[in-house]
Amino acid sequence: AQTVTQSQPEMSVQEAETVTLSCTYDTSENNYYLFWYKQPPSRQMILVIRQEAYKQQNATENRFSVNFQKAAKSFSLKISDSQLGDTAMYFCAFMTMEYGNKLVFGAGTILRVKS
Amino acid sequence: NAGVTQTPKFQVLKTGQSMTLQCAQDMNHNSMYWYRQDPGMGLRLIYYSASEGTTDKGEVPNGYNVSRLNKREFSLRLESAAPSQTSVYFCASSDFFGGGVNEQFFGPGTRLTVL
């Protein structure tokens, strides 16, 4: 069974600075997808970034980028130029390519951006 | 497009009562999912429906039943609510995209309290 571990329950960062959230996962599959979802206080789950395991190039979406290390089974999220609106719970998730394409989530990291 | 909608947004039940959480999506997705979110545990899959007419158990199915009413709608039923089912429930949908897997789109969630 796949597992996802987020080892940082809470983090804080000053506005305009850079922060990195950690995520490791365990799987025996070779093809899969990885995601970072953001959950602000509104509770809505918002996709931040996705990475296909077969792609060596790290995904980037504006201020958000990932460091995908397939051999180490590591998938960290870097947020540059942090903004107050980035304050949220961040979930790392693994999607299996097996029947149903199910998501397995980590426990989440609460990120607080301070002014 | 409304995306994924859920009703109700909040519900309080007494132990032993039953209720059905409703979910609908207007994106013509084949796959739909029910998750529960508990503090410190991320989101866990309760049941999923890979396509219309099929349903399968996820990680935490005990105490729940589901119905895939049609392609758009996927309901979650609690037959005899227990305090351990106090949680936030999310419905999601997804589909294949360009030969690959698409993200899962989430509804706004239902906060359920069982007294």
Side-chain angles (χ1 to χ4, degrees):
Chain A
Q2 294 87 1
T3 59
V4 177
T5 302
Q6 294 179 248
S7 59
Q8 305 150 316
E10 296 188 27
M11 294 192 71
S12 61
V13 64
Q14 287 296 128
E15 201 174 5
E17 293 188 345
T18 296
V19 64
T20 298
L21 308 184
S22 300
C23 173
T24 59
Y25 59 94
D26 188 24
T27 183
S28 58
E29 296 183 19
N30 191 47
N31 293 323
Y32 49 87
Y33 287 70
L34 294 163
F35 300 86
W36 279 97
Y37 278 90
K38 169 185 177 181
Q39 186 180 46
S42 67
R43 203 169 65 201
Q44 183 67 49
M45 294 287 286
I46 302 165
L47 179 67
V48 174
I49 199 165
R50 59 181 282 171
Q51 174 80 42
E52 293 88 340
Y54 63 86
K55 289 186 177 179
Q56 292 185 335
Q57 186 173 5
N58 289 326
T60 300
E61 288 288 342
N62 299 315
R63 298 183 294 108
F64 299 88
S65 61
V66 298
N67 183 5
F68 174 49
Q69 301 289 328
K70 190 173 183 179
K73 296 180 181 175
S74 171
F75 183 61
S76 60
L77 175 69
K78 185 173 81 172
I79 305 174
S80 304
D81 186 26
S82 297
Q83 301 175 0
L84 295 177
D86 294 334
T87 293
M89 175 77 88
Y90 287 82
F91 291 102
C92 177
F94 172 100
M95 179 180 278
T96 173
M97 297 299 289
E98 296 175 343
Y99 174 78
N101 300 119
K102 300 178 290 294
L103 276 175
V104 177
F105 285 86
T109 297
I110 299 172
L111 176 67
R112 296 186 175 87
V113 180
K114 300 178 179 179
S115 59
Chain B
N1 286 349
V4 180
T5 57
Q6 291 183 236
T7 55
K9 285 188 169 50
F10 300 93
Q11 184 71 48
V12 178
L13 294 177
K14 294 181 180 179
T15 297
Q17 287 185 316
S18 63
M19 79 160 297
T20 299
L21 306 183
Q22 306 287 354
C23 174
Q25 52 92 7
D26 62 1
M27 295 174 282
N28 202 35
H29 286 166
N30 282 309
S31 302
M32 298 185 72
Y33 309 83
W34 276 106
Y35 296 90
R36 59 178 289 172
Q37 182 180 8
D38 302 295
M41 302 187 74
L43 280 73
R44 293 181 292 167
L45 183 64
I46 305 171
Y47 269 94
Y48 65 101
S49 172
S51 60
E52 186 179 358
T54 69
T55 59
D56 289 279
K57 295 178 180 179
E59 181 185 354
V60 288
N62 291 345
Y64 306 94
N65 285 301
V66 291
S67 296
R68 183 75 183 266
L69 305 172
N70 48 55
K71 191 171 185 179
R72 290 186 63 249
E73 298 172 288
F74 187 40
S75 62
L76 178 71
R77 182 162 179 83
L78 288 68
E79 291 290 352
S80 179
S84 61
Q85 295 178 304
T86 293
S87 189
V88 178
Y89 291 84
F90 286 95
C91 177
S93 71
S94 74
D95 213 344
F96 289 97
F97 174 79
V101 174
N102 205 354
E103 64 180 278
Q104 288 189 13
F105 293 83
F106 286 81
T110 295
R111 180 175 293 278
L112 174 67
T113 302
V114 182
L115 302 175

